[in-house]
Amino acid sequence: MPRDGHDISRRQISDNALKVLYRLHKAGYQAYLVGGGVRDLLLGQQPKDFDVVTDAKPEDIKKLFRNSRLVGRRFRLAHIMFGREIIEVATFRGHHVESDDKISKTNASGRLLRDNVYGSIDEDAQRRDFTVNALYYSIGDYSIRSYGGGIQDLRERTLRLIGDPETRYREDPVRMLRAVRFATKLGMEIEERTAAPIKQLAPLLKDIPAARMYEEVLKLFFAGKAVQNFRMLREYQLFTPLFPLVEAQLKEDPHGPAMRLLAEVMQNTDARIAEDKPVTPTFFYAAMLWYPLQARAQDIALESGLSPYDAFFAAMGDVFEQQCQTISIPRRFSVPARDIWQMQQRFERSKNGRAFKLLEHPKFRAAYDLLLLRAAAEGGNTAKLAQWWQQFVETDDDARKQLLQSGGNSRSGGQRNRNAQQRRRRPPRRKTGEGKPQASNGADE
């Protein structure tokens, strides 16, 4: 497609991406803007980032740009840094060769472990995942190269995988998640042949490193399409390998509190992103794993004889440990998520001055938001508890004191407060020689 056949202008492209393209071109290398950047510009959208592809080898790119570093094990890339903006530059990928394990290797299921095979632009296009991403904007003559019918699929809003779908998914199972994400992001339908193997191959996601899955989950649920992605992931059975504990709860009670809570979380996340408000994985994971936490705490209490309070704290570690086997959750999110969980119990026990103290907790707002979502999902005593706290939060200090003095407290449905039980009276002291008082039976502990 020549320059006069499309609407892309260099004014729409990042200045730093243009610097990279022009320097490669002047050094005698081929240089193209590639993939999502070209796709989004053709759709009239502003790309989130700009990627470049070239026939220069990673070592050549490193020599050409002092502000670059080489990254990646499976496939070597160059990151060229301009302050906060990073332009990713890849070398044209080629077809696999079986003669050298050092540059190309797959495992038994067909997943690529090493992929440093270089080739031509035509070979690189065949190695792209979807046709709408096999688009190349040339800095040499400002034309666009489209492979596999990418331009046509873009016009028809069809998401089509390049090559045999089963083979391509086995090479990289994350492509199944990308199919869902691109379908919702771009408003496209997944082509029938592309969709056909997904349910069968969904378990392959268990083999993907948990750290990589963490990044993919962020893209799925923190880009304004959480509701749609959640539905489609479950439709294609891709949610189970991501959140096995959550899926177990949903299967046990498809229309129960867990499903209602997740629906609220997804809707609220999308709404906050639409309003340009901050979202955090801390709250997301605290809400997602709340009911698996409850189920695990009950199991621990039955198995070990621990009190519900102690079983709850033991369950927190178990739940995060199991979840991190599939999605690596950094401690900077998992630790405050535990605070949010602990505060759900403190909401039930706090009264008198404790309620004021709880307001000062750094995670009060996030914990309070989770309480409100739980109330909407559960009703009953949780709704009464949330209603009391809502009154307490939305009024001034004088009214709060009156609320506390009126006999209301933060416990739900008359539940007894473990820490507020009346202590038994100490037995009267016996006279010397009449023996010692009997030991307590532990009821006060």
Side-chain angles (χ1 to χ4, degrees), residues 10 25 38 61 64 72 77 113 123 174 187 191 193 204 210 224 250 268 271 317 319 342 364 386 391 404 406 424 439:
R10 279 167 289 172
H25 181 67
V38 182
I61 301 169
L64 204 56
L77 302 166
L113 303 177
E123 291 174 316
V174 170
E191 183 248 347
R193 184 167 170 267
L204 293 177
L250 299 181
N268 287 0
V319 167
Q342 292 177 33
F364 175 83
Q391 287 180 307
L404 291 170
S406 67
R424 292 186 179 183

Coordinates of all heavy atoms in Angstrom, one line a residue, residues 10 25 38 61 64 72 77 113 123 174 187 191 193 204 210 224 250 268 271 317 319 342 364 386 391 404 406 424 439:
R10 N 3.7 10.8 9.6 CA 4.8 10.8 10.6 C 4.5 11.6 11.8 O 5.0 11.4 12.9 CB 6.1 11.2 9.9 CG 6.7 10.1 9.1 CD 7.8 10.7 8.2 NE 7.2 11.5 7.1 CZ 8.0 12.3 6.3 NH1 9.3 12.4 6.5 NH2 7.4 13.0 5.3
H25 N 17.9 3.3 9.1 CA 17.8 3.5 7.7 C 19.0 4.1 7.1 O 19.6 3.7 6.1 CB 16.5 4.3 7.3 CG 16.4 4.5 5.9 ND1 16.0 3.5 5.0 CD2 16.4 5.7 5.1 CE1 15.9 4.0 3.8 NE2 16.2 5.3 3.8
V38 N 1.1 0.2 14.0 CA 0.6 0.4 12.6 C -0.9 0.1 12.6 O -1.8 0.9 12.1 CB 1.3 -0.5 11.6 CG1 0.8 -0.2 10.2 CG2 2.8 -0.2 11.6
I61 N 22.5 -3.4 16.6 CA 21.7 -2.4 17.1 C 22.3 -1.8 18.4 O 22.3 -0.6 18.6 CB 20.3 -3.0 17.5 CG1 19.6 -3.5 16.2 CG2 19.4 -1.9 18.1 CD1 18.4 -4.4 16.5
L64 N 24.9 0.7 17.5 CA 24.3 1.9 16.8 C 23.7 2.8 17.8 O 23.7 4.0 17.6 CB 23.3 1.5 15.8 CG 23.0 2.4 14.6 CD1 24.3 2.8 13.9 CD2 22.0 1.8 13.7
G72 N 15.8 -10.4 26.9 CA 15.1 -11.5 26.4 C 16.0 -12.8 26.3 O 17.1 -12.7 25.8
L77 N 16.0 -9.1 22.0 CA 15.5 -7.8 21.6 C 16.4 -6.7 22.1 O 17.2 -6.9 23.0 CB 14.1 -7.6 22.2 CG 13.0 -8.6 21.9 CD1 11.8 -8.4 22.8 CD2 12.6 -8.5 20.4
L113 N 11.1 -22.6 23.3 CA 12.0 -22.2 24.5 C 13.1 -21.3 24.1 O 13.6 -20.5 24.9 CB 12.6 -23.5 25.1 CG 11.6 -24.6 25.5 CD1 12.4 -25.8 26.0 CD2 10.7 -24.1 26.6
E123 N 9.6 -13.8 6.0 CA 9.6 -14.8 7.0 C 9.2 -14.3 8.4 O 8.4 -15.0 9.1 CB 11.1 -15.4 7.2 CG 11.5 -16.2 6.0 CD 13.0 -16.6 6.1 OE1 13.8 -15.8 6.5 OE2 13.3 -17.8 5.8
V174 N 0.3 -18.4 25.2 CA -0.2 -17.1 25.6 C -1.0 -16.4 24.4 O -1.8 -15.5 24.6 CB 1.0 -16.2 26.1 CG1 0.5 -14.7 26.2 CG2 1.5 -16.7 27.4
G187 N -12.8 -4.8 19.1 CA -14.2 -5.1 18.7 C -14.2 -6.0 17.6 O -15.0 -5.8 16.6
E191 N -12.0 -15.5 14.3 CA -12.4 -16.4 13.2 C -12.5 -17.8 13.7 O -11.8 -18.2 14.6 CB -11.2 -16.2 12.2 CG -11.5 -17.0 10.9 CD -10.5 -18.2 10.8 OE1 -9.5 -18.2 11.5 OE2 -10.7 -19.1 9.9
R193 N -11.8 -20.8 12.7 CA -10.7 -21.8 12.7 C -9.7 -21.4 13.8 O -9.1 -22.2 14.4 CB -10.0 -21.8 11.3 CG -8.9 -22.7 11.1 CD -8.5 -22.9 9.6 NE -7.3 -23.6 9.5 CZ -6.1 -23.1 9.3 NH1 -6.0 -21.7 9.4 NH2 -5.0 -23.8 9.2
L204 N -2.5 -25.8 28.4 CA -1.1 -25.5 28.2 C -0.6 -24.3 28.9 O 0.6 -24.1 29.1 CB -0.9 -25.4 26.7 CG -1.1 -26.6 25.8 CD1 -0.8 -26.3 24.3 CD2 -0.1 -27.7 26.2
A210 N 5.0 -18.1 35.8 CA 4.0 -17.3 36.5 C 4.3 -15.8 36.4 O 3.4 -15.0 36.4 CB 4.0 -17.7 38.0
G224 N -9.6 -1.6 30.7 CA -11.0 -1.1 30.4 C -11.9 -2.1 29.8 O -13.1 -1.8 29.5
L250 N -16.7 -20.8 41.5 CA -17.7 -20.4 40.6 C -18.4 -21.7 40.1 O -19.6 -21.7 39.9 CB -17.1 -19.7 39.4 CG -16.4 -18.4 39.7 CD1 -15.9 -17.7 38.4 CD2 -17.4 -17.4 40.4
N268 N -16.6 -2.3 38.3 CA -15.9 -1.1 39.0 C -14.6 -0.8 38.4 O -14.2 0.3 38.2 CB -15.8 -1.4 40.5 CG -17.2 -1.4 41.2 OD1 -18.2 -1.1 40.5 ND2 -17.2 -1.6 42.5
A271 N -15.1 0.9 35.1 CA -15.6 2.3 35.3 C -14.5 3.2 35.8 O -14.4 4.4 35.3 CB -16.7 2.2 36.4
G317 N -1.9 -17.3 53.9 CA -0.6 -17.7 53.2 C -0.9 -18.8 52.2 O -0.2 -18.8 51.2
V319 N -3.5 -19.5 50.4 CA -4.2 -19.0 49.2 C -3.2 -18.3 48.3 O -3.2 -18.5 47.0 CB -5.4 -18.1 49.5 CG1 -5.9 -17.3 48.3 CG2 -6.5 -18.9 50.1
Q342 N -7.6 -8.7 56.5 CA -7.6 -8.7 58.0 C -8.6 -7.6 58.4 O -9.3 -7.9 59.4 CB -6.2 -8.3 58.5 CG -5.2 -9.4 58.3 CD -3.8 -9.0 58.9 OE1 -3.7 -8.2 59.8 NE2 -2.8 -9.4 58.2
F364 N -7.8 1.6 54.9 CA -9.2 1.6 55.2 C -10.1 1.7 54.0 O -11.1 1.0 53.9 CB -9.5 2.7 56.2 CG -11.0 2.9 56.5 CD1 -11.6 2.1 57.5 CD2 -11.8 3.7 55.8 CE1 -12.9 2.1 57.8 CE2 -13.1 3.8 56.1 CZ -13.7 3.0 57.0
A386 N -22.2 -3.5 56.6 CA -21.8 -2.4 55.7 C -22.6 -1.2 55.9 O -22.1 0.0 55.8 CB -21.9 -2.9 54.3
Q391 N -22.9 4.5 57.5 CA -23.3 5.6 58.3 C -22.1 6.3 59.0 O -22.0 7.5 59.1 CB -24.4 5.2 59.3 CG -25.7 4.8 58.8 CD -26.7 4.3 59.8 OE1 -26.3 3.4 60.6 NE2 -27.8 4.9 59.9
L404 N -22.1 5.6 68.1 CA -21.5 4.6 69.0 C -22.2 4.5 70.4 O -22.4 3.5 70.9 CB -20.0 4.9 69.2 CG -19.1 4.8 68.0 CD1 -17.7 5.4 68.3 CD2 -19.0 3.3 67.6
S406 N -25.3 5.2 71.0 CA -26.7 4.8 70.8 C -26.8 3.3 71.0 O -27.9 2.7 71.0 CB -27.2 5.2 69.5 OG -26.6 4.5 68.4
R424 N -15.3 -14.2 83.2 CA -15.8 -14.8 84.4 C -15.2 -14.1 85.6 O -14.1 -13.7 85.6 CB -15.5 -16.3 84.4 CG -16.2 -17.0 83.3 CD -16.0 -18.5 83.5 NE -16.7 -19.3 82.5 CZ -16.7 -20.6 82.5 NH1 -16.0 -21.3 83.4 NH2 -17.4 -21.3 81.5
A439 N -7.9 -24.1 88.0 CA -7.4 -23.4 86.8 C -8.6 -23.1 85.9 O -9.6 -23.8 85.8 CB -6.4 -24.2 86.0

